[in-house]
Amino acid sequence: MKPVKIAALTALALAMTPLGASAETYSMWARNSSEAFMPDLIEAFNASHEDQIELQIVPSTEMVQKYAVAAAGGSAPDFVSLDLVYTPAFAKAGQLADLTELARSLPYFDQLSKAHVEAGTYDGKIYGVPMSADVSVLLWNKRLFREAGLDPDKAPTNWAEIEDYAGKVNALGDDTYGFYFAGACGGCNAFTFMPLIWASGGDILVDDGKRATIDTPQMHDAINFYRDLVAKGYVPESAKTDTGTNFFGGFAADNVGISPIGAFAIGNLVKNYPDVEFGVAPLPGKDGGVSSFGGGDNFVVTAGRDTLGAAKEFLDFAYSVEGQTLLARLGSLPTRADVAQEALSGLDDRYLTAVEAMETARTPSSPVYNDIINSKTGPWKQMLGEAFFGDDVDGSLKRAQDTMQSILDASN
């Protein structure tokens, strides 16, 4: 009987051995705004894993339409690094895989950027998890503060201080301005103006994104705050028509005292504008408090594919200290809080303020985010232009409130 038993055990062992298992190649798209770090991250993953990812960089302006067409036609990539605000729209369309179980199985799930996870959640399920990150912060010019008699190491902590400090810098004259914002850019002002509302106790969307809250006392206060800065001449005239092309350059020109912007500016200033002395602070509310917009990309998986195992393998690498360090050194903030400081070790200390801002970061979540916020003809963009520079603030806010709510109602 002995030979039979050995044969049986051998057969069982062979059955348990993954004979024939072979490496697979998975496709992935990322928008070109992440071109500085995504190719290197994928290269590092491929070098240390049998399964491979083939990355294609897609122009940011084409990503949403390109993915929508590909998903509808069955030719979408396995994975996408997708602007997080568009996660709910593709989830609602049934084009994304449910990542709820995968995400919650990660032992560090509670340490992942909450803004990304919230933006990636639709109808109670998680369809997108953090891939890359940026947050909004406040920059101030230390040289101009010093010349204006201000403490160059003290950031403004409320709106009254911003207006006071901006006025003193503006008084220096010689083409120097106290404050800058891109006045005709809806997306820029979602990123840098919404936090002023949140930090002051207001909101933009409530009831799981089904109800707009634009016409509120907090919004009126924030609009009037910007209008005062404009009316007093603290903001250069060119800001009125800036569609975002000078979003960064306005402060980098070294003649602006204070500007709300993204943390991406820190690395850009250090590398390309070393003569600009600047500080980084959180965006404050009217009477204090802080908030930030959580931007960047979510990692999403195209629905209908047997790829969740490979997705987890990639995410485990991207969220490891090695992956987070690589992202941080190449231009993205870490998306995992418990290893963020380790990932930023050796980099400019001002990134730590950005990491702290991620703890308060928020991102509105709605399947119609583009229609209500990003669209050039949408209510958010229309309202800001009219309210910042026009004569009918009350009417502008009421029209935006009504239009935004009608779009939300139609989508529910």
Side-chain angles (χ1 to χ4, degrees), residues 258-283:
I258 302 168
S259 181
I261 200 167
F264 72 89
I266 300 173
N268 203 336
L269 286 165
V270 170
K271 180 179 178 181
N272 300 314
Y273 301 87
D275 293 335
V276 178
E277 297 179 60
F278 69 98
V280 182
L283 285 168

Side-chain angles (χ1 to χ4, degrees), residues 140-153 169 172 277:
W140 79 94
N141 187 307
K142 292 190 173 187
R143 177 183 64 80
L144 294 177
F145 267 42
R146 193 162 46 242
E147 291 179 5
L150 297 166
D151 183 346
D153 296 320
V169 170
L172 294 172
E277 297 179 60

Side-chain angles (χ1 to χ4, degrees), residues 31-341:
R31 51 181 176 150
N32 62 352
S33 57
S34 61
E35 196 167 8
F37 49 83
M38 282 305 294
D40 286 56
L41 182 71
I42 298 302
E43 183 179 348
F45 172 82
N46 287 341
S48 56
H49 293 75
E50 291 189 1
D51 286 337
Q52 301 287 286
I53 292 178
E54 190 173 81
L55 179 68
Q56 180 180 342
I57 297 295
V58 177
S60 298
T61 54
E62 299 175 12
M63 174 63 94
V64 171
Q65 184 177 7
K66 185 178 177 72
Y67 184 59
V69 171
S75 60
D78 297 308
F79 312 133
V80 181
S81 180
L82 181 71
D83 187 335
L84 75 173
V85 300
Y86 295 114
T87 317
F90 285 105
K92 184 179 182 180
Q95 292 166 329
L96 302 183
D98 181 357
L99 303 181
T100 307
E101 184 176 349
L102 186 159
R104 294 192 181 282
S105 74
L106 300 173
Y108 41 79
F109 172 68
D110 290 341
Q111 297 297 322
L112 298 180
S113 165
K114 290 178 174 53
H116 286 68
V117 174
E118 289 174 3
T121 300
Y122 173 72
D123 203 18
K125 297 179 180 177
I126 299 171
Y127 292 92
V129 291
M131 183 68 257
S132 59
D134 194 9
V135 291
S136 41
V137 293
L138 190 74
L139 303 186
W140 79 94
N141 187 307
K142 292 190 173 187
R143 177 183 64 80
L144 294 177
F145 267 42
R146 193 162 46 242
E147 291 179 5
L150 297 166
D151 183 346
D153 296 320
K154 184 179 182 302
T157 58
N158 56 52
W159 298 355
E161 288 184 356
I162 288 178
E163 188 162 343
D164 179 35
Y165 298 178
K168 288 182 168 61
V169 170
N170 208 74
L172 294 172
D174 295 330
D175 200 30
T176 299
Y177 295 92
F179 193 83
Y180 190 85
F181 67 100
C185 177
C188 305
N189 286 296
F191 203 63
T192 56
F193 188 72
M194 283 185 186
L196 305 182
I197 313 297
W198 293 327
S200 303
D203 212 333
I204 309 297
L205 298 175
V206 297
D207 296 345
D208 291 329
K210 293 183 173 58
R211 186 164 64 87
T213 51
I214 296 297
D215 196 0
T216 63
Q218 291 88 357
M219 180 66 79
H220 279 268
D221 285 348
I223 290 290
N224 287 331
F225 167 49
Y226 266 36
R227 286 176 62 87
D228 284 346
L229 294 170
V230 172
K232 291 178 177 177
Y234 298 169
V235 181
E237 182 69 22
S238 59
K240 181 177 180 179
T241 56
D242 183 0
T243 58
T245 55
N246 206 34
F247 184 41
F248 169 74
F251 185 85
D254 204 17
N255 64 346
V256 168
I258 302 168
S259 181
I261 200 167
F264 72 89
I266 300 173
N268 203 336
L269 286 165
V270 170
K271 180 179 178 181
N272 300 314
Y273 301 87
D275 293 335
V276 178
E277 297 179 60
F278 69 98
V280 182
L283 285 168
K286 180 180 179 182
D287 300 314
V290 297
S291 190
S292 179
F293 191 106
D297 282 9
N298 266 339
F299 175 86
V300 301
V301 177
T302 298
R305 312 283 176 80
D306 183 20
T307 55
L308 291 185
K312 185 177 184 306
E313 186 179 21
F314 173 67
L315 289 174
D316 280 337
F317 176 76
Y319 294 145
S320 68
V321 173
E322 179 185 358
Q324 293 287 286
T325 300
L326 190 56
L327 284 170
R329 292 182 184 281
L330 293 174
S332 167
L333 291 174
T335 55
R336 181 179 158 187
D338 57 333
V339 299
Q341 290 203 11

